[in-house]
Amino acid sequence: MKANELIKNKGIEYAKDIVESAPDGVLAWNEGYEFVCGMAINISDEDREKYFVDMSDLKRLVESHELVEKWQGLNAAKIKVVLLRIFGLTTQADQLEQAVTDVESCQ
């Protein structure tokens, strides 16, 4: 399952709880499975994509939601992107624009 699908179906607070409670080094998450470090599990690529959520994607989306909320929501963040570009702050504009895109992908 894609991380944005998880957020669409369960909400951002659910995703935040997963990210906050995940042990360091966890690469994927699936409801109902407990991960043990160092334990190999043979899962087909098809099943992995269908049932497991990539933790790095989920973390990125949670961080994007937090950044957009820091700027008071999507509309304000979009305006901030334009202002950052006007003032030549390209790196910050690119980061915020990616966050906006991430959040929109979860709606």
Side-chain angles (χ1 to χ4, degrees), residues 7-105:
I7 293 172
K8 281 181 194 177
N9 295 332
K10 300 280 190 163
I12 188 62
E13 292 305 319
Y14 187 78
K16 285 180 183 180
D17 288 343
I18 292 168
V19 170
E20 290 171 4
S21 65
D24 290 340
V26 171
L27 302 176
W29 175 88
N30 178 288
E31 194 162 23
Y33 280 86
E34 186 169 324
F35 295 93
V36 179
C37 294
M39 185 175 181
I41 302 173
N42 289 330
I43 301 169
S44 71
D45 289 341
E46 182 179 304
D47 283 346
R48 185 177 306 279
E49 187 172 316
K50 187 174 181 181
Y51 298 112
F52 289 81
V53 177
D54 182 278
M55 282 301 293
S56 63
D57 289 344
L58 191 59
K59 286 178 184 178
R60 187 191 81 246
L61 290 176
V62 166
E63 289 169 359
S64 291
H65 275 80
E66 290 172 346
L67 181 59
V68 167
E69 283 308 306
K70 176 182 171 186
W71 295 109
Q72 308 302 316
L74 276 172
N75 290 334
K78 289 177 183 180
I79 292 168
K80 182 69 173 179
V81 169
V82 172
L83 292 173
L84 288 168
R85 292 207 188 285
I86 288 170
F87 290 107
L89 301 169
T90 307
T91 301
Q92 294 93 329
D94 290 346
Q95 290 171 343
L96 185 54
E97 187 170 47
Q98 180 61 56
V100 166
T101 301
D102 287 344
V103 170
E104 289 177 333
S105 79

